Amino acid sequence: MSKPLVIVESPAKAKTIHKYLGGKYTVKASVGHIKDLPKNKLGVDVEKDFEPTYRIIPGKEKVVRELKSAAEKTNEIYLAADPDREGEAICAHLAEELGKRSKKVFRVLFNEITAAAVRKAFEHPGKIDEHKVEAQIARRVLDRLVGYQISPLLWDKVRRGLSAGRVQTVALRLIVEREKEIRAFVSEEYWTLAARLLGENPPPFEARAIKLDGQKFRITSEAESKQLVADLQGVPFVVQQVVRKEKQRRPVPPFITSKLQQEGYRKLHFTVKRTMTIAQHLYEGVEVGDEGSLGLITYMRTDSTRISQEALAHVREYIQASYGQPYLPPKAIHYAARKGAQEAHEAIRPTDVERTPDSLKPYLKADEWKLYALIWKRFVASQMNPAIFDATEIGIEAGRCTFKATGSILKFDGFLALYQESRDESLAAEEDEEEKEGQLPEVRGGEILSVEALLPEQHFTQPPPRFTEAMLVKELEERGIGRPSTYATIVNIIQNREYVTQKDGRFIPTETGEVVADLLTGSFPDIFDYKYTARMEDHLDEIEEGKEYWVDAMKNFYARFSKKLKQAQKEMKNVKREEVPTEESCEKCGSPMVIKWGRYGRFLACSAYPECKNTREITRDTNGDVQVEEARFTEETCEKCGRPMVIKKGRFGEFLACSGYPECKNTKHIHKAKNGEVKAVRDIPLDESCPVCSKNLVIKHGRFGEFTACSDYPECKYIKPKTTGVACPQKGCGGEIVERKSRRGKAFYGCSNYPDCNFVLWYKPVPEKCPSCGAPYLIERTNKKEGLIRYCGQENCKFKASLQPVGTT
């Protein structure tokens, strides 16, 4: 028999592990999960203890065949997927498919991909953790029951294509409820009062009023403020107490997943998904010069702050050598675990603290380096001594008011020499006031201070802020909703479903998002309750720990869920068929206009439909109230029917449309000049005929840029593909590779014979033979590290040429 077979999830991880294991093992990648529930049906038998029906994922047949072929040549299979529920499920499915013929199947676990960790794992292999597998099955079945049984309800009551999710709907609910709080918020006026004071010793300093007539300081009008300032004229400002003390600010723990996502957003402006993608690369392995592929950080999906004794010893040695004895605590710092944390894992840390960010900068892409530096600094700082401040607080009595002045001077920077955690904006102002920098003058009790100025200032209370990605992750974590490994997926889903949009980095629910959240929380108040969702996560943890049987948890859930589902099918409001009367009249036939629900939200329609198909747009004001938009006519005329063009809003912004719609469906891309003038972007005629209807082709402008189409578009839907000049490499196909666009406008390259041929490339092929292996085309792409490059796409060819290195023009 041949060498033992090792299977991991990704090719990058396979490459790194193969390097550490040498030639003693064959290392293959499963490329993620190989089995899942079927897409076209529920796949869960609720009558037979929720038995799931797993199938090979479409498109993974080739991978499974290759793995089976490799498995037939050996008696030993080592499954080395990630150390979490998903990784355990991947291993279980691989064992089912590959270990049927008396194979010895082992499970190997490591939290970091280093030579020592990998070799140690292979010296002490274990078995698949069935409890972890059951926890993953329970989560998958839960999500499938909710998604596949509630989503059709939304299709029937709202529109097709919508979806519900056990956790995504709760995250959406948070955003929608925050938006309602903002709309309902009534701003209130309030005033603060500061005094610029001078004692016997300079310099002058400011104190703020904290009490009025013995109560918390509160003034709500300019008249009150003026009266108080008048009352304080000539009143002595007497120092009542001076408190000087030493304050410490302790370092924060090393990163867990959720904290890394939050800091990645705040400090580096990375989306949650971007942070996790980069962290995955750093964990699985990055090419580091002559050393080859190295795993640079520990496993990035963890809720534990635990650090191994070996890593603690190394970081303490590094702090001693690099910063000196004053920065090194007498003993290692151990951080308390959060409730439910998986202490078998470690925190996210560098695999080797000696690999400083500066030493790795030549080998990492810019974003990889930034995230690695963040992880490295946080880890090292977490084992350094606290920062020490000399803090002074002066209490001052003046007539009806009590004033307080605070100041602090950094005495020893400690861990702040390396790292300072960012803060939520809601806490920043309060903390800044508590730790106001600057030295206060020497004053004594009973000293009377001179008043240089009284400084009243008007303010208005602000509504709660909309969620950023970091704030949403923090809120989910604090409520125990979902798990850190799922947050990136949740944030992505609610945006991809167009339930929320982002403005200035903050989430705003769309009209569809609000409708979906209201319908689901109204019909399923328990299932989408914050506390209930958090309790379900606790049940999954207990299943993983072997304290609860997964089928029992499903039965308890489904008994409640199925009852609410039947009730919702009968009672949920049918938004799709709802018509809300208005006082507006149809300008075409005089019939009353009604508010209806369409694919992109509410709109105004003639009640005489289908005889009259007139429609108008409606918007919402800042309070969420419906506003009817008058048609915005322009000086542009429709070249097809001669009627004036009007400005309309679609899901991708404003565009010009014929006022004769629906009889004439002509639309135009628009350009807004700096003075606000709106002009249509003209089609550019070509000396080329449409192969479908023989009319001229024109260059048109759409939401994703220029495209060549029939001049009669959209009546004739011919769009000319952009050819690359490269023939499709699939045998017997005869097609050519053309540029295509994804639903979101991203360019990719596929065969012109699609769907008969599914050949696809994500980067542009160039009709140029590979000088190394003779392949008929090269691939062209740009990356931040190397600039514009061309390389060969053949698996065993390493040809690569730089066309425009980084930094050149």
Side-chain angles (χ1 to χ4, degrees):
M1 300 299 284
S2 64
K3 295 177 286 189
L5 174 63
V6 180
I7 303 176
V8 298
E9 302 102 306
S10 76
K13 187 175 176 182
K15 183 179 179 181
T16 310
I17 288 176
H18 183 266
K19 171 193 165 188
Y20 294 142
L21 294 177
K24 297 179 182 178
Y25 297 83
T26 300
V27 186
K28 298 279 187 181
S30 69
V31 197
H33 282 274
I34 63 166
K35 297 173 83 171
D36 197 4
L37 300 175
K39 278 193 171 182
N40 57 351
K41 59 182 179 179
L42 183 63
V44 176
D45 193 335
V46 295
E47 303 298 329
K48 292 184 178 179
D49 288 343
F50 303 90
E51 181 181 343
T53 302
Y54 283 101
R55 296 280 185 265
I56 300 295
I57 297 170
K60 284 295 184 73
E61 295 86 357
K62 182 180 177 183
V63 172
V64 174
R65 281 197 304 271
E66 290 175 353
L67 293 176
K68 283 183 175 179
S69 176
E72 287 173 359
K73 300 171 185 176
T74 183
N75 282 326
E76 294 183 14
I77 301 172
Y78 291 83
L79 304 174
D82 289 343
D84 57 15
R85 291 175 194 163
E86 296 302 314
E88 214 68 25
I90 290 172
C91 291
H93 291 153
L94 287 167
E96 286 173 8
E97 293 298 315
L98 310 180
K100 294 176 181 177
R101 299 182 182 177
S102 303
K103 307 286 184 185
K104 292 180 180 178
V105 179
F106 303 100
R107 174 72 164 117
V108 285
L109 288 164
F110 36 80
N111 288 308
E112 59 185 76
I113 305 178
T114 59
V118 170
R119 288 168 189 157
K120 184 178 179 181
F122 277 81
E123 287 169 6
H124 303 93
K127 296 180 179 179
I128 292 172
D129 187 333
E130 295 300 332
H131 293 312
K132 266 189 181 177
V133 175
E134 288 178 358
Q136 195 275 344
I137 292 172
R139 184 201 64 77
R140 193 72 188 92
V141 169
L142 262 178
D143 291 345
R144 177 54 66 99
L145 290 173
V146 172
Y148 267 56
Q149 295 192 313
I150 294 183
S151 296
L153 256 182
L154 294 176
W155 302 349
D156 182 52
K157 308 289 186 180
V158 187
R159 68 170 169 84
R160 289 193 68 82
L162 300 180
S163 74
R166 182 177 60 88
V167 181
Q168 82 180 50
T169 300
V170 177
L172 174 62
R173 179 183 178 182
L174 282 169
I175 294 169
V176 169
E177 290 187 350
R178 175 59 58 87
E179 194 67 22
K180 290 179 179 178
E181 284 181 60
I182 293 169
R183 287 177 192 157
F185 183 82
V186 178
S187 184
E188 295 180 357
E189 180 184 7
Y190 71 98
W191 288 72
T192 56
L193 179 62
R196 188 181 299 124
L197 305 170
L198 178 63
E200 294 171 1
N201 298 304
F205 64 96
E206 279 193 12
R208 61 187 177 93
I210 58 170
K211 287 186 178 181
L212 177 63
D213 297 327
Q215 304 296 317
K216 183 178 179 180
F217 187 85
R218 177 176 168 77
I219 288 181
T220 59
S221 69
E222 185 178 10
E224 286 181 272
S225 178
K226 285 182 175 179
Q227 182 60 54
L228 180 60
V229 169
D231 291 347
L232 292 175
Q233 297 299 324
V235 172
F237 279 64
V238 183
V239 175
Q240 290 297 310
Q241 62 174 1
V242 181
V243 178
R244 291 186 176 87
K245 57 185 176 182
E246 192 176 83
K247 280 187 176 181
Q248 290 188 350
R249 192 197 297 181
R250 300 187 179 280
V252 288
F255 280 125
I256 60 175
T257 305
S258 57
K259 299 300 182 196
L260 177 63
Q261 292 168 348
Q262 291 169 51
E263 282 290 85
Y265 182 88
R266 294 177 189 138
K267 284 186 177 289
L268 307 178
H269 309 294
F270 291 169
T271 64
V272 172
K273 181 181 178 182
R274 181 80 180 130
T275 293
M276 294 306 291
T277 300
I278 297 170
Q280 183 98 24
H281 292 163
L282 295 174
Y283 165 70
E284 291 182 341
V286 176
E287 292 290 329
V288 180
D290 295 337
E291 295 184 86
S293 183
L294 297 177
L296 297 179
I297 64 170
T298 53
Y299 190 51
M300 65 288 158
R301 294 187 181 93
T302 177
D303 54 5
S304 169
T305 54
R306 186 183 70 82
I307 298 295
S308 70
Q309 291 302 315
E310 183 182 14
L312 285 174
H314 286 164
V315 72
R316 286 177 59 79
E317 289 172 8
Y318 180 86
I319 293 168
Q320 173 78 56
S322 301
Y323 292 90
Q325 189 65 37
Y327 290 85
L328 184 68
K331 57 183 180 180
I333 303 172
H334 296 276
Y335 292 92
R338 63 188 289 271
K339 181 186 174 184
Q342 302 294 309
E343 286 300 288
H345 292 178
E346 281 194 64
I348 304 169
R349 61 168 176 82
T351 54
D352 183 352
V353 74
E354 296 290 342
R355 296 189 189 281
T356 63
D358 286 345
S359 72
L360 290 174
K361 196 164 190 177
Y363 310 107
L364 299 181
K365 296 176 184 175
D367 287 354
E368 290 174 341
W369 182 81
K370 289 175 185 176
L371 192 66
Y372 180 81
L374 191 67
I375 293 167
W376 186 90
K377 288 178 180 179
R378 173 105 167 199
F379 170 61
V380 176
S382 73
Q383 291 299 319
M384 294 173 77
N385 268 323
I388 300 173
F389 295 83
D390 277 336
T392 304
E393 186 177 293
I394 302 173
I396 303 158
E397 294 293 333
R400 300 168 58 196
C401 285
T402 301
F403 288 78
K404 183 174 78 170
T406 59
S408 64
I409 298 296
L410 182 64
K411 184 178 179 182
F412 171 65
D413 56 2
F415 78 96
L416 291 177
L418 188 59
Y419 181 84
Q420 181 163 339
E421 185 180 37
S422 56
R423 297 167 295 179
D424 277 332
E425 60 192 65
S426 55
L427 300 175
E430 185 178 331
E431 291 177 4
D432 286 344
E433 190 62 44
E434 289 297 318
E435 290 186 357
K436 206 168 185 178
E437 292 184 6
Q439 190 168 8
L440 293 174
E442 288 289 333
V443 296
R444 54 183 173 77
E447 182 178 342
I448 298 176
L449 306 171
S450 301
V451 181
E452 291 192 342
L454 291 174
L455 307 167
E457 187 174 354
Q458 183 187 42
H459 307 270
F460 292 91
T461 55
Q462 298 297 312
R466 292 186 174 106
F467 288 107
T468 62
E469 287 195 12
M471 292 164 66
L472 183 61
V473 166
K474 182 180 180 183
E475 188 76 15
L476 291 169
E477 180 189 28
E478 289 178 349
R479 290 176 181 264
I481 296 166
R483 285 293 177 261
S485 59
T486 66
Y487 292 155
T489 303
I490 292 166
V491 169
N492 264 4
I493 286 175
I494 59 176
Q495 292 182 86
N496 291 341
R497 293 283 185 264
E498 297 177 359
Y499 290 157
V500 299
T501 58
Q502 283 201 44
K503 183 178 180 182
D504 300 326
R506 297 180 181 277
F507 288 122
I508 301 173
T510 62
E511 193 170 24
T512 302
E514 288 196 43
V515 167
V516 168
D518 290 345
L519 288 177
L520 293 183
T521 53
S523 297
F524 301 90
D526 295 341
I527 305 304
F528 298 119
D529 175 71
Y530 298 129
K531 291 182 180 178
Y532 180 79
T533 306
R535 283 199 301 273
M536 286 307 303
E537 298 297 339
D538 294 338
H539 284 299
L540 294 176
D541 290 342
E542 289 175 1
I543 293 167
E544 181 173 334
E545 294 163 12
K547 296 177 182 177
E548 185 175 1
Y549 182 43
W550 77 274
V551 174
D552 292 339
M554 294 304 100
K555 286 179 179 177
N556 290 335
F557 166 80
Y558 201 69
R560 174 182 292 189
F561 175 67
S562 58
K563 182 179 177 182
K564 289 292 183 182
L565 185 65
K566 289 176 184 176
Q567 190 175 337
Q569 287 167 342
K570 295 177 182 177
E571 299 176 5
M572 183 184 281
K573 183 170 72 172
N574 195 320
V575 178
K576 188 191 290 186
R577 294 172 179 81
E578 187 178 49
E579 294 186 359
V580 180
T582 72
E583 296 179 359
E584 298 287 324
S585 296
C586 175
E587 65 271 24
K588 292 190 175 181
C589 73
S591 300
M593 300 289 277
V594 293
I595 296 173
K596 299 179 78 170
W597 179 264
R599 179 171 177 79
Y600 306 118
R602 290 184 171 87
F603 66 98
L604 210 60
C606 181
S607 58
Y609 179 87
E611 286 75 22
C612 178
K613 297 179 180 178
N614 185 32
T615 62
R616 280 160 60 191
E617 294 172 13
I618 58 176
T619 58
R620 287 177 175 268
D621 61 18
T622 53
N623 295 319
D625 296 327
V626 169
Q627 300 289 311
V628 178
E629 281 207 355
E630 297 296 330
R632 291 184 287 167
F633 285 87
T634 69
E635 295 181 1
E636 297 284 340
T637 56
C638 176
E639 70 273 19
K640 293 187 177 181
C641 70
R643 283 177 279 202
M645 302 286 277
V646 294
I647 299 173
K648 289 199 170 188
K649 281 183 181 175
R651 60 190 296 209
F652 300 106
E654 293 184 336
F655 64 98
L656 280 179
C658 180
S659 57
Y661 180 88
E663 290 79 15
C664 178
K665 297 178 180 177
N666 188 26
T667 62
K668 291 281 183 185
H669 197 65
I670 64 174
H671 169 73
K672 276 192 176 180
K674 289 183 178 179
N675 61 4
E677 185 181 359
V678 173
K679 289 190 174 182
V681 178
R682 305 291 180 190
D683 295 342
I684 303 172
L686 301 173
D687 291 329
E688 191 175 344
S689 298
C690 172
V692 176
C693 70
S694 300
K695 293 184 179 177
N696 263 37
L697 294 183
V698 294
I699 296 174
K700 299 180 78 71
H701 297 79
R703 63 178 183 267
F704 300 129
E706 290 184 351
F707 65 100
T708 302
C710 180
S711 55
D712 201 29
Y713 185 88
E715 281 70 24
C716 174
K717 291 184 165 51
Y718 174 76
I719 297 175
K720 183 181 179 181
K722 289 184 182 177
T723 183
T724 62
V726 174
C728 178
Q730 300 285 60
K731 286 183 179 180
C733 172
E736 62 176 334
I737 306 304
V738 297
E739 181 180 319
R740 291 160 61 187
K741 292 284 178 72
S742 69
R743 284 182 61 196
R744 297 197 171 273
K746 184 178 180 181
F748 68 100
Y749 302 87
C751 182
S752 58
N753 286 338
Y754 177 84
D756 296 326
C757 177
N758 288 321
F759 181 79
V760 67
L761 293 167
W762 281 109
Y763 297 104
K764 183 180 180 180
V766 179
E768 181 180 317
K769 276 192 176 183
C770 174
S772 178
C773 72
Y777 66 90
L778 295 175
I779 297 173
E780 187 172 281
R781 65 175 292 190
T782 302
N783 65 42
K784 291 181 180 179
K785 192 173 181 180
E786 300 172 291
L788 181 64
I789 61 170
R790 282 184 184 172
Y791 62 94
C792 184
Q794 302 303 309
E795 188 174 349
N796 298 318
C797 183
K798 296 184 179 179
F799 172 77
K800 182 166 67 174
S802 177
L803 301 182
Q804 185 179 318
V806 173
T808 64
T809 56

